[in-house]
Amino acid sequence: MNAPMAANDLNLMKFGIGQPVPRQEDPTLLRGQGRYTDDVNVPGQVYGVMVRSQVAHGVIKGIDTAEAKAMPGVLGVWTGADLVAAGFGLLKCIIPFPNRDGSPMKKPDRPSLATDKVRFVGDPVAIVVAETAAQARDAAEAVMVDIDSLPAVTDAKAGAQPGAPQLYDDVPNNVCLDYHFGDSAKVAEAFAGAAHVTRLHILNNRVVVAAMEPRAAIAEVDAANGRYTLHTCSQGVFGLKQQLANDILKVPPEKVRVLTGNVGGSFGMKASAYPEYAALFHAAKLLNRPVKWTDDRSGSFLSDQHGRDHEFDAELALDKDGRFLALRLTGYGNMGGYLATVAPMMGTLNVVKNAIGMYRTPLLEVSTKCVFTNTTPVSAYRGAGRPEGNYFMERLVDTAAREMKLDAIALRKLNHIPPTAMPHKTPADTVYDTGDFTALLDKALAASDWDGYAARKADSEKRGKLRGRGLGTYLEVTAPPMKEMGGLRFEPNGDVTIITGTLDYGQGHWSAFAQVLTEKLGVPFHRIKLIQGDSDLLIAGGGTGGSKSIMASGAAIVEASEKVIDKGKQIAGVALEASAADIEFKAGRFTIVGTDRGIDIMELAEKLRGGLKLPEGVPATLDVSHVHEAAPSAYPNGAHVAEIEIDPDTGVIEVVKYTMVGDFGTVINPLLVEGQSHGGVVQGIGQALMERVAYSEDGQLVSGSFTDYALPRAGDVPSFAMGYHSVPAKTNVLGAKGCGEAGCAGSLPSVMNAIVDALGGRHIDMPATPEKVWQALHG
């Protein structure tokens, strides 16, 4: 009778919570057997190509499609006027923030294809559909778009000035939102009475998301039942289905199905509906054939939503001993030519919630003007305002220490919120439930060999290099509260399938979720499957974003497991000829209390499949379809230490040493956490050293390919040293805090503080390219 217990103990030792289990999907993906959207082909499909504006700003005078329609294989060309006539809805921004005066923010209409004006290079104006992709591309080049060009503006601050080119007649000075948070009078009083004020003007450079997989979609419309099906890459099919049905197609949600297979990266960019989808559905409905579209890399640079792009004046008020009195951030957020689904969030509320970090800071004020410009729309990008807020604060802290001749470590510790102060309410109206910031910082300093830095710096000097060291601490607000499905289905072949509405686009959900289920129900790890990408199977789903998947889907799985146990006790009572009240469950096994008689959960499922006769009122299945109602946010935090070398002759920077310690609460799978942390750090290094979207004065994208836009490569980063100082969260059943975006939040300040250190304290903005660094060194 002990064998099942021993087997389950071994299962937990290898595959339970806390174990470094490899990603289950990797063998399939590494063999090239993944199924991404472009790998999907539907019988009878034809091909669509978008016609995009080559002008950044102008009035559409006419679109001549006659030549394109006459070309071989062309089945149709449709413009924005066609979509309007067909009754398609608009692409909407869901953020409801008011202006500082209480008036509603401006949300201009955005049809899927431009009808009156174009507002950025890449703005879609028509779709061409043909029998082959090559025919569609040739015909797209024959569509003649007559545009009366207007002056363009690409910089948010410049766009908000009087006399700047106006993108919308009803949005004065292009400011769609004049956001304000905080008590201006109290903050001003704190600054007036401060012993010292540190001020920095900080640029947060715009980046291209550059996911490995370009966006793609196949639209199908069933003429018999009026059902719309979209195969596309996404971050969650349930939310995308709702957006398509309610906003764009104007049909009941049950008339829409969204299917997503493997996704090659997203980082926030693929979360929402894009203009191409309505155009594809329109063509598919009229032609009664599926229409497939796959973007190319050049198109991705133009049409995929960009990330970051803020300009802030950051100010920190301190007393004579270095205690923080108030933080004030005043700046601009670049929205691009249109408002993306969550575009205003990053430079406003997410900065508010994340700028305080680990520090006791009595007062906070954030003022942000969200501005339209003639650039690609901006939306969420890994961290989505969380790295920004932490970056602003950490640059201020380092600079304040230098100006006040204080030790930067001691200044941080002086202002740390102690564990005894938890729960701690911040001036951002957030409540930290846990955290041990000073102990975490000490662990990071020890792991980085902080005290041995002088010898490493001397060695660099011998080799003619300038060495700098930077510390970046962070605290993020993760897991925006949302409903999430936790379905468990016991399959005929003996597998158990998890059904949930988050979506894996590189995180490794399958392994992590399976570990939770193994821990809670004792289901053998390798018998667990995962379904996320079919909206027909979901009754709720918040998608993946905000580092919340393990808190949302994990909690849903835990709660669903409890329901399985409740059902299982009743069924096991029948199988064991005992009362359900006398059945207990432990380590994957139902037993009669006080005896050694029991049955394994998988054996019980097998008996059900074999026709176990059950009395009336006893559940006929172990299957569960459950919705987790949401949990409060969590607060992961950490400390990163970067060391860099600069070649003074060229300005070239090399990151030569990198250490990070994180508090992610309960770590479900350290292997996955390290992978996510490494990826976030590399993206942060890329933004800090090399990535920058550049536009010409007339709005042309001059960094429109990897020839002109630099991404970090493996040779640009060192090996990473990583440690943990885990304090489980009290806001969710697993105690997890989320880790997916923390790497960016720690790497931006640590790398930039290291560069400033090497430059002798001189502020420099991202990206710290060799040219900028050389100019800073040589005046």
Side-chain angles (χ1 to χ4, degrees):
M1 299 301 295
N2 292 328
M5 291 292 291
N8 193 63
D9 288 344
L10 182 62
N11 190 37
L12 289 177
M13 286 176 62
K14 293 182 64 178
F15 303 113
I17 288 175
Q19 300 304 310
V21 182
R23 301 191 335 165
Q24 294 201 80
E25 65 269 32
D26 281 354
T28 298
L29 299 179
L30 291 171
R31 287 194 297 263
Q33 296 172 343
R35 194 167 187 260
Y36 299 87
T37 301
D38 190 54
D39 295 321
V40 177
N41 292 292
V42 180
Q45 73 186 23
V46 292
Y47 297 85
V49 169
M50 305 306 297
V51 179
R52 303 187 184 278
S53 174
Q54 298 181 26
V55 175
H57 194 200
V59 177
I60 300 175
K61 308 299 287 186
I63 302 175
D64 186 352
T65 63
E67 182 181 350
K69 289 179 177 177
M71 294 179 69
V74 173
L75 301 171
V77 182
W78 293 277
T79 67
D82 298 312
L83 267 60
V84 171
F88 283 91
L90 303 170
L91 293 159
K92 294 182 178 180
C93 171
I94 64 172
I95 302 302
F97 297 153
N99 289 302
R100 66 167 62 222
D101 64 5
S103 62
M105 64 180 290
K106 297 286 188 179
K107 296 183 180 181
D109 290 348
R110 186 190 183 183
S112 291
L113 300 179
T115 56
D116 57 345
K117 290 175 72 176
V118 293
R119 293 178 171 89
F120 69 98
V121 173
D123 204 349
V125 296
I127 183 171
V128 176
V129 177
E131 293 286 356
T132 71
Q135 289 171 332
R137 281 194 296 269
D138 289 343
E141 293 181 3
V143 175
M144 304 302 294
V145 185
D146 182 9
I147 298 174
D148 188 2
S149 296
L150 296 171
V153 61
T154 61
D155 176 80
K157 184 175 182 179
Q161 304 309 310
Q166 296 296 291
L167 274 72
Y168 298 92
D169 293 340
D170 62 342
V171 184
N173 297 324
N174 298 309
V175 177
C176 63
L177 173 63
D178 185 9
Y179 178 87
H180 180 261
F181 179 93
D183 188 322
S184 298
K186 288 184 178 179
V187 170
E189 183 181 355
F191 271 88
H196 182 83
V197 175
T198 289
R199 294 183 173 89
L200 286 173
H201 183 76
I202 302 177
L203 299 179
N204 182 33
N205 43 315
R206 177 185 285 235
V207 297
V208 166
V209 176
M212 286 192 293
E213 176 204 22
R215 289 188 300 113
I218 303 175
E220 301 179 74
V221 181
D222 189 324
N225 59 22
R227 198 141 195 264
Y228 296 80
T229 299
L230 185 71
H231 306 258
T232 193
C233 39
S234 73
Q235 289 187 199
V237 294
F238 189 84
L240 182 55
K241 165 187 170 175
Q242 301 299 315
Q243 186 181 14
L244 287 169
N246 297 328
D247 296 344
I248 296 172
L249 298 173
K250 301 291 185 181
V251 298
E254 60 268 21
K255 288 289 186 181
V256 179
R257 184 185 190 188
V258 178
L259 295 166
T260 295
N262 293 119
V263 179
S266 177
F267 312 109
M269 180 266 290
K270 295 174 182 173
S272 301
Y274 273 84
E276 292 85 2
Y277 302 160
L280 292 167
F281 274 127
H282 183 64
K285 187 173 185 178
L286 292 181
L287 296 173
N288 198 27
R289 294 175 69 179
V291 182
K292 182 175 184 176
W293 163 81
T294 301
D295 212 351
D296 56 25
R297 186 58 65 182
S298 295
S300 295
F301 269 84
L302 292 172
S303 66
D304 292 353
Q305 291 161 0
H306 292 173
R308 313 294 194 223
D309 205 344
H310 303 98
E311 181 175 355
F312 272 85
D313 289 309
E315 302 170 278
L316 181 64
L318 306 93
D319 70 11
K320 62 181 178 60
D321 298 317
R323 289 183 176 85
F324 301 165
L325 303 175
L327 172 66
R328 184 163 58 197
L329 301 169
T330 308
Y332 300 85
N334 195 332
M335 301 295 99
Y338 300 94
L339 274 181
T341 307
V342 296
M345 179 74 78
M346 282 67 74
T348 56
L349 184 62
N350 276 8
V351 167
V352 168
K353 287 185 174 183
N354 293 273
I356 291 298
M358 300 177 169
Y359 306 116
R360 288 178 292 193
T361 310
L363 294 167
L364 169 68
E365 183 178 9
V366 176
S367 303
T368 311
K369 290 185 177 180
C370 296
V371 184
F372 288 119
T373 66
N374 298 115
T375 61
T376 297
V378 173
S379 196
Y381 172 73
R382 198 167 194 165
R386 294 187 287 279
E388 287 89 325
N390 281 283
Y391 176 59
F392 298 154
M393 186 60 153
E394 287 299 291
R395 284 293 299 117
L396 283 169
V397 173
D398 249 32
T399 304
R402 188 173 290 110
E403 291 174 347
M404 297 180 72
K405 296 180 172 52
L406 298 173
D407 178 75
I409 303 298
L411 180 61
R412 285 176 168 88
K413 290 182 177 181
L414 175 68
N415 288 283
H416 275 166
I417 302 163
T420 54
M422 302 297 176
H424 174 82
K425 185 174 182 180
T426 76
D429 294 330
T430 53
V431 179
Y432 299 171
D433 60 309
T434 59
D436 190 3
F437 308 138
T438 297
L440 180 146
L441 176 56
D442 284 338
K443 187 174 288 188
L445 296 175
S448 72
D449 186 25
W450 187 268
D451 292 338
Y453 174 71
R456 296 190 294 277
K457 183 174 183 179
D459 178 70
S460 297
E461 291 175 350
K462 288 179 183 178
R463 293 181 284 106
K465 301 293 181 66
L466 301 175
R467 196 177 187 106
R469 174 179 61 179
L471 170 64
T473 67
Y474 68 89
L475 181 144
E476 296 186 295
V477 182
T478 62
M482 301 179 76
K483 291 183 177 183
E484 189 53 77
M485 180 177 174
L488 297 176
R489 193 170 69 195
F490 288 74
E491 306 289 5
N493 69 349
D495 290 341
V496 179
T497 299
I498 298 169
I499 305 170
T500 189
T502 53
L503 198 134
D504 188 323
Y505 48 88
Q507 290 85 353
H509 287 176
W510 187 2
S511 290
F513 295 172
Q515 287 176 260
V516 174
L517 189 60
T518 293
E519 183 87 18
K520 298 304 176 183
L521 288 184
V523 176
F525 181 83
H526 292 296
R527 299 311 301 262
I528 300 172
K529 308 303 177 191
L530 175 65
I531 293 177
Q532 298 175 297
D534 185 348
S535 66
D536 274 4
L537 300 180
L538 299 177
I539 56 175
T544 292
S547 298
K548 71 177 178 64
S549 292
I550 199 62
M551 283 88 86
S553 287
I557 293 165
V558 170
E559 293 168 1
S561 297
E562 294 297 326
K563 292 179 176 292
V564 170
I565 292 169
D566 289 342
K567 284 186 168 188
K569 286 180 178 179
Q570 298 178 61
I571 300 168
V574 176
L576 298 173
E577 299 179 338
S579 168
D582 293 331
I583 302 297
E584 64 179 0
F585 180 82
K586 183 179 180 182
R589 189 168 174 80
F590 296 96
T591 57
I592 301 174
V593 175
T595 76
D596 60 359
R597 291 183 58 217
I599 185 169
D600 180 271
I601 190 170
M602 301 303 283
E603 184 182 352
L604 186 62
E606 180 61 32
K607 283 186 175 293
L608 283 173
R609 290 192 294 272
L612 176 66
K613 292 184 179 180
L614 299 168
E616 185 175 349
V618 174
T621 175
L622 292 169
D623 294 357
V624 166
S625 184
H626 171 70
V627 175
H628 167 64
E629 288 297 325
S633 292
Y635 301 91
N637 55 89
H640 291 206
V641 180
E643 294 185 22
I644 61 97
E645 284 186 340
I646 299 175
D647 183 337
D649 295 328
T650 64
V652 171
I653 293 174
E654 182 181 0
V655 181
V656 293
K657 193 172 189 293
Y658 201 99
T659 306
M660 57 187 127
V661 172
D663 172 11
F664 303 118
T666 301
V667 175
I668 305 299
N669 184 323
L671 191 65
L672 299 184
V673 171
E674 289 183 27
Q676 287 293 298
S677 299
H678 292 180
V681 169
V682 172
Q683 283 181 268
I685 290 173
Q687 183 180 358
L689 300 186
M690 60 193 75
E691 295 188 52
R692 183 176 75 92
V693 175
Y695 284 95
S696 66
E697 288 187 4
D698 60 355
Q700 293 294 325
L701 182 64
V702 297
S703 55
S705 74
F706 291 133
T707 301
D708 307 296
Y709 186 91
L711 285 178
R713 303 184 182 191
D716 295 318
V717 298
S719 295
F720 301 119
M722 184 166 179
Y724 300 96
H725 185 78
S726 297
V727 183
K730 297 180 180 179
T731 56
N732 62 83
V733 295
L734 289 171
K737 295 183 176 179
C739 68
E741 294 152 309
C744 283
S747 57
L748 293 182
S750 62
V751 171
M752 292 307 296
N753 280 339
I755 295 169
V756 170
D757 179 50
L759 295 176
R762 178 181 298 185
H763 176 72
I764 188 171
D765 276 313
M766 303 184 293
T769 60
E771 179 186 13
K772 287 168 65 175
V773 172
W774 189 91
Q775 288 176 341
L777 287 170
H778 299 284

